[in-house]
Amino acid sequence: MVQKTDSSPRPRGRPRAYDPEAALARALETFWKAGYAATSLDELSAAMGMNRPSLYAAFGDKRALFLKSLEHYRRQSAAMIRQALADDPPLRTFLARFYAAALDSYRPGTAGARGCFLVGTATTEAAGDPEVRALLADAVRQLDAALVKRIRRAAERGEIDRAADPDALAYLASATLHTLAHRARAGQSRAELDAIVAAALDVICRR
């Protein structure tokens, strides 16, 4: 007796049995812990719950995955800014929320003092990788532009001195974020980092 074979067409491609955003988040955490060079594909594969062929098919090689992780982090950072601005708060309130959210990420209770993913990993790779350098430069420009826009609005609303230079204050606000990232990575306490935030707010939000 001959069994009939199923001649119906089979779906092509790999079924999407994973959540791309969740997988990227796990890759990001893995790169964040040890940096790009010290993170192996085996570690990434284990963290993401994907074998190597599936990982390559979904995200490309290790470098491509790192670039996608950086973009994922940038989206998270942009969302953090939008959340801090959701109720159109005064500049001091916005910056206080912004820095507090950043420090919660830089010094999480379970991961220790890890600093900023972008600053801590992309700056190292940017020296030899033009694409990473361009991505890092674009992230800095976008942050500066967002801060300039918010500081100009604060000046228009009389929250700060109308004669203040929005560009200079935005650079100071951005530089404060970067020094917080480095100092958090170096293990400074939350109290010490909060003191830096308080000093920066007094300068940036001066009337």
Side-chain angles (χ1 to χ4, degrees):
M1 180 176 173
V2 178
Q3 292 182 328
K4 292 182 63 176
T5 57
D6 183 1
S7 59
S8 60
R10 296 179 181 276
R12 293 187 176 183
R14 177 177 55 84
R16 178 156 294 193
Y18 72 103
D19 179 343
E21 289 297 303
L24 270 180
R26 289 191 289 269
L28 186 156
E29 291 290 336
T30 307
F31 281 127
W32 203 339
K33 182 178 180 180
Y36 175 76
T39 300
S40 70
L41 277 170
D42 286 339
E43 289 170 327
L44 290 165
S45 179
M48 297 167 73
M50 304 172 69
N51 59 35
R52 282 203 188 192
S54 296
L55 191 156
Y56 278 119
F59 299 105
D61 61 12
K62 177 182 167 181
R63 178 178 176 275
L65 178 57
F66 178 65
L67 291 171
K68 289 180 173 67
S69 298
L70 289 173
E71 290 290 0
H72 182 78
Y73 184 78
R74 288 183 63 183
R75 290 194 298 272
Q76 288 183 326
S77 298
M80 180 178 72
I81 292 176
R82 288 194 300 270
Q83 183 175 4
L85 286 171
D87 57 348
D88 195 20
L91 178 63
R92 179 180 283 271
T93 301
F94 159 65
L95 287 175
R97 291 176 182 172
F98 176 61
Y99 291 133
L103 288 176
D104 288 343
S105 173
Y106 297 167
R107 289 186 54 85
T110 57
R114 62 185 185 179
C116 171
F117 177 64
L118 192 68
V119 172
T121 62
T123 50
T124 302
E125 300 308 313
D129 190 322
E131 192 170 357
V132 175
R133 184 163 59 251
L135 188 152
L136 178 61
D138 186 59
V140 171
R141 282 192 297 268
Q142 288 196 9
L143 175 61
D144 287 345
L147 291 171
V148 167
K149 182 178 179 180
R150 187 62 192 80
I151 291 169
R152 282 177 178 162
R153 180 166 173 75
E156 292 167 359
R157 298 201 303 197
E159 297 171 11
I160 61 173
D161 185 352
R162 291 182 180 273
D165 183 344
D167 293 286
L169 291 179
Y171 291 149
L172 176 58
S174 180
T176 298
L177 183 68
H178 296 152
T179 197
L180 290 173
H182 287 299
R183 289 171 180 269
R185 193 70 177 261
Q188 286 198 344
S189 70
R190 181 64 183 255
E192 291 173 311
L193 299 174
D194 284 340
I196 293 171
V197 170
L201 292 181
D202 286 342
V203 174
I204 297 169
C205 301
R206 181 180 300 159
R207 289 178 180 271

